Amino acid sequence: MTGAPGGAAPPGGAEPTVFPTRLLPAAVLVGVACALGAGVAPVGGAASDPIPSPEQFFGFPMGAEGRLAHWDRIVDYFTLVGARSDRVAVRELGRTTLGHPYLLAAISTPQTIADLPRYQSDQRRLADPRQTSPADAEEIARHGKAVVLVGANVHATEIGTNQGMNDLLYRLATEGSRWVDRVLDNTIVLLIPSQNPDGQRMVVDWYRRNRGTEHEGSPLPELYHHYAGHDNNRDSYMLTQIETRHLNRVLYREWLPEVYLDKHQMGGTFARIFVPPFKNPPNPNVDPLVWSEVNLLGQAMAARLHEAGKPGVIWGELYSAWWQGANSTNPWWHNMVGLLTETASARLATPIEQARVEPGAPARFGGRWARGRRRPAGTGASLPPPRDTQYRMTYPRPWLGGRWTFADVVEYDRLATEGLLESVARNREMLKRNFYRMNRRTVERFTAGNPFAYLVPAPETQHDPAAVVHLLRLLQAQAAEVHVAEAPFVADERRMAAGTYVVPLAQPFGRWVKDVLEPQVYPDIRWPSPRAPLDRPYDVTAWSLGMLMGVETIRVDEPFEARLTPLTGAAPERAGRVSGDLAAGTWLLSPDSNRSAVAVNRLLAAGASVAWVRAPLDVAGAGGAAPRRVASGTLAVQNAAATRVADLAHELGLEVEGRELPPGTALLPLRAARLGVFEPWGGNRDAGWTRWVLDQHEFPYRQLRNGDLRAADLGARFDVVILPQMGGATLLRGLRGRRVRPEYRGGIGVEGIRNLRRFVQAGGTLITLGNSARLAIDHLEAPLSDRVRGARPGVFLAPGSIVRIAIDAGHPIGYGMPSEADAMFVDNGAYVPSAGAAATTVAGYPDGPLLRSGWLIGEERLRGAGAVFEVREGRGRIILHTFRVQHRGQTWGTFKLLFNSIFYGAALAPPPPSAGGEPGGRQGS
């Protein structure tokens, strides 16, 4: 393959952003000084200025019962320490979803902090063995510093990990001990004190509001990340959220650390902390040396905890080494050591009491206590005793129960981090040497092929060109090298056109490219014997990006020759084009790209007329040109200025054509939907992701709460209501329990169900997503049944798999879709309509092989079932998308089914009232 690989931008880009030694302006520091009542040096001030301890600054020690440091004050503290310590550089990486600062601190010796760009350059050199000789790499390993990134608090309620970062910063910035000297002399420690600042602020404010009241412990009313909630650490290969992109930039562009620790918390009833090793199965695309180093550093954390006499340390269980999507796992395919800790939680900063089991005694208990309800009188504990107290090699000193405080959370987290930093310092040379070694052998592994590269045909040849460009940019964002062919070439006996994109695997992060583009094959591992029960995967088993996004990617096994040019900037957008009769009264726009929905929303908002062409037809060409066949679902735009249409085409990369439609052309006029998205109090991740997808494509909507569905005038206010995936108890009964604040208690109840039925019968459209189809069946009598409902895992199991669906592209819900597509199936159903039901199957599972990527047991039960239905009831309809059509903002290939459902529902709805009732924006009551 010509067009030398060395010409591509190496990992880290041509030049990463220079890491400044000081960030925030002196005016900010003066504000901090006023809060302290002491003078503060301006940026670059003397390192001898006193640095207050966290207890002095915040007024309480970290881990104090009932006390939490707020993000705004943590920003002040990090800024102050960065200004006063020559060991620390603090930088704002950018703003969060809700506009708050996202911080990174670098900590090392003063000499290192003064020369950070040199160390960043060393990391880039180690990451690219094509540019760095073994001798040079050895020199960097001997004299360089190991870079370790520590991130906390991505899940906002796991707040002990965040509070302890203040103590760690203070210790490394001020202490003169041998331990600190060893860490600073051998490492550069990067700290992200909160990977979710928006959620941290929300949790602290909520806790302070309820502390000491009968509502202490009440669940948050909202998601603790505006869109993703708990899924915000499941975004590492899709990069939908700005916070993920900040982290990604540190990992793969600016710093390329050898080690990354992602600090979490887990439930409070079992072990006290998880540290690596991870459990089976390991992902085969990861270099086994990564696992050895993961295990080494994980056990260094365990050793520090056991050295301190701490019980309840577990490893080798709970969290697996298969899945690509988490912040802590994604670095593995980049030849980095990704680590996870999960410390047992208290009730935020309030202690918990767990019934204790005597050593050696079985943890027997029963009745109401066993189900986690109120404790029996006289036990003195609020939680049942631990169920698992069996000591074993992976859990040598089990937790037996007792009192667990916020100070315990912070201390366990501190000890684990100390164990990691000490081990990284002692193994500095080995970690640096092996980072280079793994990058080098990745290049060597794929140079001979099998596979050799992945090809991405040019955007203009694919169904949705914008999806192609976005996939290429996702690869580039994680430091993958992408080339474009300057001339036709042949690969694996297949002729490819000029303009084809080529992603060679003989590059440092080729393992990651292979893993995100190939189909996943999840191993059915039964341990300790083949008769053991199924061990469910921790998360999804498939993430093949081309399939998720509806983009064709082609694996090439054998090396080939081609004239290639490396992309040195972002993959270019497809150019928009305006053609045809510019004086015609109608503009035709293909519905194939998801961006056509953006265009429709903008045109409708500007007062244009937009309609779907209902059936294929031949349209005469301009100036004697041959007639052109127009597909059903093509968008016909009228009453729009030519300049407005042209501007949209160029901005969105769309093709529009001026044509006159034949008289009598069947059209379905569209209008802006009065759209509501239901989200129960307590938050719902599927609702959050739905909001994100709608916001990206500029659909106006209102966020609906329980009271909105209980109100009788639903049809007067909305044309379309979306019911994201949720359980029946969540919908009907909502948040319950004596601690729940009254304004957030309860669900929609029977009255809400009645109103939804009235809404549909009066002409409204209800859209259900995923397993909310079962709610429509159980409570709205949708005439469908689920073949696999209640099936045992050994009979049917699809825990996050990509399967094939067939689509009726002649139905309005299927307009612009290919005849076949890939669907994300996450423990969903296999639905069939009842005999004689007023139900239309828009998409279904063919009678043939279905699994495209992941793991599927009982595929035969899914074959022939429906996937998307229109069920007519009264004057309206229920549209059921029974799989994850907008899964985590990743499934670009099926977004259009949701968009079309919204347009279709609004088009068929009764005319809205003449005044009022319109959605007031993208957020509602």
Side-chain angles (χ1 to χ4, degrees):
M1 190 166 61
T2 56
E15 275 297 330
T17 302
V18 175
F19 196 100
T21 57
R22 297 291 184 265
L23 169 70
L24 298 179
V28 175
L29 301 177
V30 170
V32 177
C34 292
L36 287 173
V40 178
V43 173
S48 60
D49 290 340
I51 296 175
S53 69
E55 183 172 2
Q56 292 169 327
F57 185 88
F58 295 100
F60 54 89
M62 299 298 97
E65 182 175 333
R67 306 297 297 272
L68 292 173
H70 193 280
W71 178 245
D72 295 351
R73 292 289 286 153
I74 292 174
V75 171
D76 291 343
Y77 186 64
F78 267 67
T79 302
L80 177 66
V81 175
R84 293 188 177 183
S85 173
D86 53 7
R87 302 179 188 179
V88 180
V90 177
R91 176 187 173 201
E92 181 184 312
L93 291 176
R95 293 281 156 157
T96 63
T97 300
L98 299 183
H100 299 112
Y102 188 106
L103 297 188
L104 176 70
I107 311 168
S108 192
T109 62
Q111 296 78 13
T112 303
I113 293 298
D115 197 16
L116 286 177
R118 172 198 146 198
Y119 290 94
Q120 290 179 287
S121 176
D122 284 349
Q123 294 304 108
R124 293 197 301 277
R125 293 171 66 198
L126 290 179
D128 194 353
R130 300 162 301 178
Q131 312 274 347
T132 307
S133 69
D136 288 343
E138 182 63 26
E139 184 70 14
I140 294 171
R142 282 203 306 268
H143 300 292
K145 294 197 170 188
V147 181
V148 53
L149 172 64
V150 181
N153 191 219
V154 67
H155 294 149
T157 51
E158 299 167 11
I159 202 159
T161 64
N162 159 258
Q163 304 290 286
M165 291 292 239
N166 297 303
D167 287 333
L168 180 59
L169 174 70
Y170 177 71
R171 185 178 186 191
L172 294 177
T174 63
E175 193 174 289
S177 66
R178 290 179 59 197
W179 185 88
V180 167
D181 287 346
R182 181 184 300 117
V183 169
L184 299 183
D185 287 344
N186 290 280
T187 73
I188 298 171
V189 180
L190 305 176
L191 300 183
I192 300 178
S194 177
Q195 297 173 117
N196 181 11
D198 297 343
Q200 202 275 358
R201 299 176 84 257
M202 183 187 301
V203 166
V204 174
D205 289 341
W206 184 249
Y207 182 75
R208 290 176 176 176
R209 176 183 178 187
N210 294 303
R211 169 70 176 160
T213 75
E214 61 181 318
H215 304 302
E216 184 173 347
S218 176
L220 285 164
E222 305 278 2
L223 293 173
Y224 56 56
H225 180 280
H226 182 66
Y227 291 119
H230 197 77
D231 279 349
N232 63 342
N233 74 322
R234 289 153 167 80
D235 189 40
S236 67
Y237 52 77
M238 208 65 196
L239 304 179
T240 65
Q241 303 306 308
I242 186 63
E243 295 85 359
T244 319
R245 296 195 290 274
H246 291 328
L247 173 64
N248 179 82
R249 194 167 78 248
V250 175
L251 283 170
Y252 309 126
R253 286 293 176 185
E254 295 185 356
W255 273 105
L256 299 150
E258 286 89 6
V259 179
Y260 167 50
L261 169 62
D262 190 13
K263 305 205 291 185
H264 286 250
Q265 291 172 223
M266 58 183 178
T269 61
F270 178 39
R272 298 299 87 188
I273 189 170
F274 165 86
V275 298
F278 295 87
K279 75 170 188 174
N280 284 319
N283 188 296
N285 284 325
V286 176
D287 192 308
L289 184 51
V290 166
W291 303 133
S292 296
E293 293 185 341
V294 164
N295 297 348
L296 172 73
L297 298 180
Q299 286 303 286
M301 292 190 276
R304 181 69 185 95
L305 288 153
H306 284 148
E307 180 184 281
K310 301 298 182 183
V313 183
I314 195 168
W315 58 81
E317 304 178 33
L318 305 178
Y319 303 98
S320 79
W322 168 261
W323 173 46
Q324 163 78 249
N327 293 349
S328 59
T329 63
N330 188 273
W332 297 336
W333 290 266
H334 294 78
N335 300 318
M336 300 171 185
V337 182
L339 300 165
L340 171 73
T341 57
E342 294 269 359
T343 306
S345 295
R347 247 176 44 224
L348 296 178
T350 300
I352 57 175
E353 295 280 352
Q354 184 175 20
R356 185 173 173 80
V357 176
E358 292 302 316
R364 291 202 179 102
F365 55 96
R368 301 182 347 159
W369 201 4
R371 293 192 293 273
R373 298 182 181 175
R374 295 184 63 184
R375 63 176 174 83
T379 63
S382 59
L383 295 173
R387 288 180 178 270
D388 183 353
T389 58
Q390 176 61 56
Y391 57 89
R392 49 193 179 271
M393 283 302 296
T394 55
Y395 193 35
R397 189 184 173 196
W399 167 254
L400 302 177
R403 181 176 173 83
W404 184 249
T405 69
F406 191 42
D408 293 324
V409 177
V410 172
E411 184 179 14
Y412 268 67
D413 178 73
R414 172 183 64 81
L415 290 167
T417 307
E418 287 177 357
L420 171 66
L421 295 181
E422 180 162 353
S423 186
V424 170
R426 291 185 182 276
N427 291 285
R428 170 184 59 82
E429 285 191 44
M430 180 199 73
L431 290 166
K432 299 192 78 65
R433 189 177 295 118
N434 285 343
F435 181 50
Y436 174 81
R437 177 178 285 117
M438 287 186 283
N439 292 323
R440 182 176 180 180
R441 66 192 190 192
T442 299
V443 174
E444 293 169 349
R445 153 69 180 86
F446 294 112
T447 297
N450 194 33
F452 182 70
Y454 273 87
L455 310 181
V456 183
E460 58 270 18
T461 68
Q462 300 219 36
H463 190 79
D464 186 349
V468 179
V469 172
H470 193 72
L471 183 147
L472 294 169
R473 290 182 173 185
L474 286 174
L475 297 177
Q476 291 179 291
Q478 300 209 28
E481 299 163 9
V482 180
H483 304 248
V484 63
E486 299 298 327
F489 65 97
V490 176
D492 279 359
E493 301 182 355
R494 180 169 179 166
R495 185 166 182 81
M496 303 302 299
T500 297
Y501 288 94
V502 178
V503 190
L505 297 182
Q507 56 175 296
F509 299 155
R511 293 176 181 274
W512 181 79
V513 174
K514 178 176 183 288
D515 200 66
V516 296
L517 294 183
E518 72 179 2
Q520 279 70 55
V521 181
Y522 189 83
D524 185 351
I525 293 179
R526 310 292 179 100
W527 182 261
S529 75
R531 295 182 178 180
L534 286 171
D535 186 9
R536 285 184 61 93
Y538 181 74
D539 202 272
V540 301
T541 62
W543 47 86
S544 310
L545 281 186
M547 298 179 194
L548 289 174
M549 300 182 70
V551 174
E552 182 186 14
T553 63
I554 302 167
R555 171 175 162 146
V556 175
D557 281 329
E558 297 300 322
F560 60 88
E561 291 291 321
R563 195 166 79 241
L564 304 178
T565 298
L567 291 182
T568 55
E573 291 276 8
R574 179 202 190 197
R577 189 167 69 92
V578 180
S579 63
D581 183 0
L582 303 187
T586 303
W587 300 93
L588 298 182
L589 169 64
S590 167
D592 290 357
S593 174
N594 288 333
R595 287 189 178 175
S596 67
V598 179
V600 170
N601 286 324
R602 292 186 186 179
L603 288 164
L604 291 174
S609 299
V610 184
W612 275 325
V613 175
R614 293 300 306 265
L617 61 105
D618 292 319
V619 177
R628 184 171 76 82
R629 188 72 170 169
V630 172
S632 56
T634 296
L635 294 154
V637 181
Q638 298 175 328
N639 301 320
T643 54
R644 173 65 175 162
V645 173
D647 287 346
L648 269 180
H650 292 305
E651 181 181 350
L652 300 176
L654 300 173
E655 292 190 5
V656 295
E657 184 178 13
R659 295 270 183 160
E660 291 290 351
L661 292 176
T665 298
L667 299 174
L668 179 58
L670 304 183
R671 62 181 173 86
R674 300 178 303 150
L675 175 63
V677 179
F678 178 69
E679 186 164 358
W681 291 120
N684 175 280
R685 281 175 278 174
D686 204 52
W689 285 116
T690 303
R691 287 189 282 105
W692 183 84
V693 170
L694 295 177
D695 281 344
Q696 299 305 303
H697 295 85
E698 301 183 21
F699 281 87
Y701 63 87
R702 277 193 60 197
Q703 187 180 30
L704 304 182
R705 299 298 192 178
N706 303 327
D708 293 300
L709 296 194
R710 290 196 299 263
D713 62 343
L714 200 57
R717 294 178 291 135
F718 299 98
D719 306 315
V720 180
V721 170
I722 297 177
L723 195 62
Q725 176 163 301
M726 66 189 70
T730 299
L731 179 68
L732 291 170
R733 296 191 291 276
L735 296 178
R736 292 166 291 165
R738 58 188 174 86
R739 291 194 176 96
V740 175
R741 296 192 68 90
E743 61 267 38
Y744 305 118
R745 189 175 291 150
I748 72 168
V750 174
E751 190 58 36
I753 293 293
R754 289 194 187 117
N755 284 336
L756 284 173
R757 185 187 296 275
R758 294 187 192 111
F759 168 72
V760 172
Q761 290 174 338
T765 294
L766 176 66
I767 299 173
T768 68
L769 302 181
N771 289 339
S772 282
R774 294 169 184 165
L775 300 176
I777 294 170
D778 294 344
H779 300 290
L780 299 175
E781 300 179 6
L784 305 172
S785 60
D786 182 0
R787 290 177 180 170
V788 299
R789 191 169 186 176
R792 299 188 313 275
V795 175
F796 184 82
L797 180 67
S801 307
I802 300 174
V803 297
R804 188 166 60 99
I805 57 172
I807 299 168
D808 177 4
H811 189 286
I813 296 172
Y815 283 164
M817 291 291 293
S819 59
E820 285 199 352
D822 293 313
M824 190 67 182
F825 193 102
V826 187
D827 293 324
N828 300 125
Y831 295 91
V832 291
S834 304
T840 301
T841 302
V842 180
Y845 303 103
D847 285 315
L850 298 180
L851 181 63
R852 295 268 285 146
S853 185
W855 193 25
L856 176 58
I857 295 175
E859 179 178 296
E860 67 281 357
R861 291 175 173 251
L862 194 56
R863 292 174 186 161
V868 179
F869 298 91
E870 179 192 3
V871 173
R872 293 171 296 283
E873 182 174 338
R875 296 168 59 197
R877 65 206 39 77
I878 304 173
I879 298 173
L880 303 97
H881 297 280
T882 68
F883 62 91
R884 302 291 283 274
V885 68
Q886 73 330 357
H887 176 73
R888 293 176 179 166
Q890 300 170 3
T891 50
W892 284 47
T894 53
F895 285 171
K896 195 177 298 95
L897 295 170
L898 174 60
F899 301 158
N900 286 346
S901 300
I902 296 169
F903 289 135
Y904 182 53
L908 299 184
S914 58
E918 293 295 327
R922 295 180 185 171
Q923 294 301 305
S925 59

